[in-house]
Amino acid sequence: MPPPARCPLSPQSGIDEVAPRPSKRMGVRRGRLDSSLFHMLVLVCALSQVLFVGLVTGQTAQLSVDASSQNGRTIPDKMFGIFFEELNHAGAGGLWAELVSNRGFEAGGINTPSNIDPWLIIGDESNIIVETDRSSCFASNPIALRMEVLCGATGTNACPSGGVGIYNPGYWGMNIEKTKVYKVSMYIRSSDSVDLAVSLTSSDGLQNLATHTITAEKGDFAGWTKVEFDLQSSERNTNSRLQLTTTKNGIIWFDQVSVMPSDTYMGHGFRKDLATMLANLKPRFLKFPGGNYVMGNYLLNAFRWSETIGPWEERPGHFNDVWNYWTDDGLGFFEFLQLAEDLDACPVWVINDGASLNEQIPSATIAAFVKEVVDGIEFARGDPKTTWGSVRAAMGHPEPFPLYYISVGNQECSKPYYKEKYVKFYSAIKASYPDIKIISSCDISSISAVNPADLYDVHVYTSSGDMFSKTRMFDSTPRSGPKAFVSEYAVTGNDAGRGTLVAALAEAAFLIGLERNSDVVEMASCAPLFVNDNDRGFSPDAIVFNSWQHYGCPNYWMLHFFKDSSGATLHPLTIQVSNYDQLAASALTWQNSNDGNTYLKIKVVNFGNKAVNLNIAVAGLENGIQEFGSIKTVLTSGWLRDENSFQQPDKVVPAASPITNAGEQMGVIVDPYSLTSFDLLLDTNTDKYPLLESSFHSSM
């Protein structure tokens, strides 16, 4: 049922709130009402809402589209993409599917004994002692865990039932699914005989989901030995742990303990449900690995690409000091390139240019950082016979990755040395790879012949009201020179909440402005992309998840309205309306790759509290509009600040319905506070008609 009626609230951030209307979403199940009195109250409430909305309906507008091919303009083919930053545990404990947190025991630092959080012991100090030491076989990961078991299987000092040992709860609990197979690997060393149970259990250890026993005679594990096996769970538990237990006294060392689901996205280690959410947006580029994450608070903790490649167990990992957590760097430079390939997106690499948030390398000593970047490009693009290309090939990818975009630094134009250093990076990259497009942190006013750039980076964080007004942000931008890359934008502040309808609508209007100005704006992506609900370092975000659930915020669903824009043909349009400046609209033609049909898509944001009677007139079409097969899709809800949640993941989602009066002249109603798309099926001499369920599309 729709939420109870609310009194209209005082305007905030320039937004006039309106009482909620009954939901128009399709296919959302409603619970049964148990009280006839409540039935009557809801009916009265709904009638009052209808009367209220009636007071603000009646606004009329004319939208005229020139759909002629000669006046159309092609939108850049990489217009809309995604930006991934390692914050909010987006990668570690999120998109990267590794279930063990601090798998190499390195998170506590190089001084031993150290903190092994979140590992804990099973038993007590009378029968088990654990500590870290520097005995690992990996030079880049020197820390290992030493476990000394003081009790035994029998006798006066017998171990407790079930044994003693250690356990790891993962990232706020491991999601273990029934019948699913998990790949386990670890390194073990012991001069004693070994009888070790490796189990997936409930968080309290009482429910056993799967167990494998490792046995070895004395001396078999005298040197570090890698042990690998599969565990198949007999039950499901969304708050599970990995535990290593024994009843045999002696000393065992452990290192690089890993548990990975066997069914990751494309088999490349990405959590399938989250990666699918990204794929459904059809992103044309992937910007990575972040903004401030690239820099670090200090260079000691900056993202250094060469330390994130090679076998996972040989990567040193690093402390993400900007967002305050450890990452094992399983999601490294190679994996980001692989993810871009899996998503059919163009990689955009944000490089560290010798600066952190608190430090800078002077221009005179920047040469090593420049070389590191050029080497990184060779890793991505080099022939397998080159020094770094051979490393990529050894990792299983002999073919080069199509890396053609490099962003130099992150919001650093005002910092001392940036412009001097930038020119050195620019010159070195262009000398070896002239086809790479280089993105500057400076705005267009700072770019010149002596400080050149192919694109310049733009970040927009503001209130919903101001974001809506920025639909004209680029209207007066010079039409020559470098193009804008709006790599980060988001509505922030009170009306953003944890991802509200009003924030999504404001961002949609902003993107419509980018479409209209796509002759000077080449690329755009929102930020942040992901948030683990257990670590909200930055809100709002497009996708929320925990160990076993996920949902898209309203702005995630808003992005679906733009996933067909890249490479489409933009058509000029005009809106005529009196005393109502709350509309933003665009029109484009695009081809559905699923069925080959061509559509004229008209998107309209109504950012005001009035329903609009919109008369649409389309001129210049070479082919007419078919009578059947056109679809209307609406994103709206009962209240401006409605949000999705784990309890109501579909509270604010698009609803699709057939258009029954599709034509070159048509009258439609545009709801208050809504984003509406009219996908008009064009006549291409075909009898193919799309299914309603796939029009928005089934890939969602």
Side-chain angles (χ1 to χ4, degrees):
M1 58 169 286
R6 307 173 191 259
C7 294
L9 302 180
S10 299
Q12 296 184 25
S13 303
I15 306 302
D16 295 324
E17 301 223 25
V18 65
R21 289 161 288 106
S23 173
K24 296 183 179 181
R25 292 188 302 278
M26 300 176 61
V28 179
R29 295 181 180 177
R30 302 297 185 188
R32 178 178 296 176
L33 299 178
D34 298 320
S35 169
S36 58
L37 176 60
F38 192 55
H39 249 304
M40 294 175 63
L41 289 173
V42 170
L43 179 60
V44 171
C45 176
L47 288 173
S48 68
Q49 292 172 33
V50 170
L51 291 173
F52 181 84
V53 172
L55 294 175
V56 293
T57 56
Q59 182 71 46
T60 300
Q62 177 72 35
L63 188 150
S64 302
V65 180
D66 177 0
S68 61
S69 58
Q70 63 267 27
N71 290 328
R73 186 181 77 242
T74 302
I75 295 174
D77 63 355
K78 297 176 181 64
M79 184 70 187
F80 294 115
I82 53 178
F83 167 45
F84 181 96
E85 177 161 12
E86 180 60 273
L87 79 160
N88 301 329
H89 275 86
L95 182 62
W96 189 242
E98 173 63 62
L99 296 180
V100 177
S101 177
N102 191 18
R103 70 183 181 202
F105 307 101
E106 305 289 331
I110 61 173
N111 296 320
T112 59
S114 58
N115 187 354
I116 62 172
D117 183 69
W119 292 89
L120 289 170
I121 64 169
I122 300 170
D124 58 44
E125 292 179 342
S126 67
N127 46 45
I128 183 173
I129 299 174
V130 298
E131 63 177 323
T132 54
D133 61 25
R134 298 173 61 85
S135 64
S136 173
C137 60
F138 302 109
S140 56
N141 295 318
I143 307 301
L145 184 76
R146 179 183 185 272
M147 183 175 81
E148 182 176 1
V149 178
L150 305 176
C151 56
T154 59
T156 58
N157 192 29
C159 292
S161 175
V164 298
I166 55 176
Y167 73 87
N168 187 290
Y171 298 90
W172 300 282
M174 298 180 180
N175 178 35
I176 303 301
E177 299 180 51
K178 186 175 182 179
T179 72
K180 182 178 283 190
V181 174
Y182 297 85
K183 296 182 177 298
V184 182
S185 67
M186 67 185 70
Y187 285 78
I188 298 178
R189 181 170 70 90
S190 180
S191 54
D192 301 314
S193 59
V194 173
D195 188 356
L196 182 74
V198 181
S199 307
L200 295 171
T201 74
S202 57
S203 61
D204 57 9
L206 298 179
Q207 180 190 28
N208 188 289
L209 307 174
T211 297
H212 176 85
T213 302
I214 300 172
T215 58
E217 298 296 323
K218 185 174 183 177
D220 286 353
F221 288 160
W224 281 106
T225 304
K226 186 175 185 179
V227 179
E228 297 178 279
F229 52 89
D230 291 343
L231 286 176
Q232 185 173 24
S233 178
S234 60
E235 299 292 338
R236 182 180 186 185
N237 191 304
T238 60
N239 187 22
S240 304
R241 72 188 196 187
L242 171 74
Q243 62 181 39
L244 315 177
T245 55
T246 185
T247 57
K248 193 171 187 59
N249 69 326
I251 300 174
I252 307 176
W253 281 264
F254 299 103
D255 200 7
Q256 299 301 324
V257 181
S258 171
V259 178
M260 288 283 282
S262 60
D263 62 339
T264 59
Y265 187 77
M266 305 285 277
H268 291 141
F270 309 112
R271 182 170 148 177
K272 183 178 287 187
D273 58 340
L274 299 184
T276 300
M277 292 278 282
L278 300 183
N280 289 345
L281 291 175
K282 301 201 301 190
R284 296 302 180 94
F285 66 84
L286 168 66
K287 178 187 172 187
F288 68 88
N292 291 345
Y293 174 71
V294 173
M295 305 172 70
N297 276 323
Y298 296 94
L299 284 170
L300 173 67
N301 296 314
F303 179 87
R304 309 301 288 269
W305 75 267
S306 59
E307 296 182 352
T308 71
I309 61 171
W312 299 340
E313 57 265 40
E314 295 179 14
R315 303 178 189 184
H318 74 285
F319 181 61
N320 179 357
D321 64 352
V322 175
W323 303 108
N324 202 35
Y325 58 88
W326 176 263
T327 170
D328 291 309
D329 285 329
L331 181 57
F333 188 51
F334 177 87
E335 286 72 27
F336 282 117
L337 294 168
Q338 184 65 68
L339 177 62
E341 181 177 276
D342 291 347
L343 296 174
D344 196 23
C346 178
V348 180
W349 180 25
V350 184
I351 65 168
N352 183 287
D353 61 349
S356 70
L357 294 178
N358 294 293
E359 305 166 283
Q360 285 194 81
I361 301 297
S363 178
T365 56
I366 200 65
F369 285 80
V370 174
K371 182 180 184 301
E372 183 179 49
V373 169
V374 175
D375 288 346
I377 300 172
E378 181 180 276
F379 174 86
R381 290 183 43 171
D383 185 275
K385 295 180 181 179
T386 62
T387 300
W388 287 105
S390 65
V391 177
R392 182 198 68 243
M395 294 182 69
H397 202 287
E399 302 83 8
F401 289 107
L403 178 60
Y404 293 103
Y405 290 86
I406 299 290
S407 186
V408 180
N410 170 59
Q411 304 180 91
E412 298 171 37
C413 189
S414 61
K415 288 180 175 289
Y417 307 123
Y418 176 78
K419 292 180 182 178
E420 295 176 46
K421 294 188 299 181
Y422 170 85
V423 171
K424 293 186 176 184
F425 282 97
Y426 182 95
S427 299
I429 294 170
K430 288 289 189 179
S432 298
Y433 302 94
D435 56 348
I436 284 184
K437 289 189 175 184
I438 299 180
I439 305 157
S440 171
S441 285
C442 296
D443 64 25
I444 192 171
S445 65
S446 300
I447 296 171
S448 64
V450 296
N451 203 331
D454 298 296
L455 298 101
Y456 62 97
D457 196 13
V458 178
H459 296 184
V460 181
Y461 292 96
T462 188
S463 67
S464 60
D466 190 54
M467 184 68 81
F468 178 81
S469 71
K470 289 185 184 298
T471 187
R472 300 194 174 279
M473 178 175 174
F474 292 93
D475 285 7
S476 301
T477 299
R479 307 333 261 186
S480 60
K483 310 295 185 184
F485 178 12
V486 185
S487 69
E488 299 183 34
Y489 69 85
V491 169
T492 56
N494 292 335
D495 51 0
R498 292 191 169 191
T500 59
L501 170 67
V502 69
L505 298 181
E507 291 176 10
F510 177 65
L511 296 190
I512 282 175
L514 299 189
E515 286 181 331
R516 191 178 63 253
N517 287 285
S518 57
D519 56 329
V520 295
V521 180
E522 187 165 319
M523 307 163 83
S525 51
C526 72
L529 186 60
F530 282 118
V531 60
N532 187 313
D533 192 52
N534 297 284
D535 180 30
R536 286 183 174 267
F538 191 107
S539 286
D541 309 87
I543 300 170
V544 183
F545 65 90
N546 56 26
S547 66
W548 62 286
Q549 298 168 293
H550 68 271
Y551 65 86
C553 290
N555 67 332
Y556 169 80
W557 294 110
M558 176 273 294
L559 292 173
H560 282 265
F561 287 76
F562 293 85
K563 66 183 181 182
D564 299 308
S565 296
S566 299
T569 300
L570 182 74
H571 300 292
L573 61 75
T574 59
I575 299 177
Q576 294 175 301
V577 60
S578 298
N579 301 318
Y580 193 71
D581 58 357
Q582 302 298 309
L583 299 178
S586 68
L588 54 87
T589 51
W590 66 282
Q591 187 173 53
N592 188 335
S593 59
N594 294 327
D595 57 24
N597 286 325
T598 300
Y599 294 84
L600 173 66
K601 178 191 290 286
I602 300 173
K603 294 193 293 286
V604 182
V605 173
N606 184 355
F607 201 60
N609 63 355
K610 295 182 180 180
V612 176
N613 298 304
L614 185 65
N615 297 312
I616 297 176
V618 180
L621 281 174
E622 296 180 1
N623 299 302
I625 297 172
Q626 292 198 25
E627 182 179 358
F628 302 104
S630 295
I631 302 297
K632 172 185 176 181
T633 309
V634 182
L635 181 68
T636 190
S637 190
W639 187 41
L640 279 177
R641 291 192 175 89
D642 274 348
E643 302 177 358
N644 292 332
S645 63
F646 291 125
Q647 293 73 33
Q648 293 181 288
D650 299 326
K651 188 173 187 177
V652 187
V653 297
S657 59
I659 299 174
T660 58
N661 63 334
E664 295 177 31
Q665 303 283 334
M666 53 186 283
V668 297
I669 301 293
V670 179
D671 293 335
Y673 299 117
S674 66
L675 167 60
T676 305
S677 173
F678 303 94
D679 284 277
L680 304 176
L681 179 61
L682 300 184
D683 188 359
T684 54
N685 297 318
T686 176
D687 58 358
K688 294 181 290 183
Y689 295 101
L691 294 174
L692 175 61
E693 289 78 6
S694 65
S695 62
F696 191 63
H697 306 279
S698 59
S699 61
M700 291 199 304

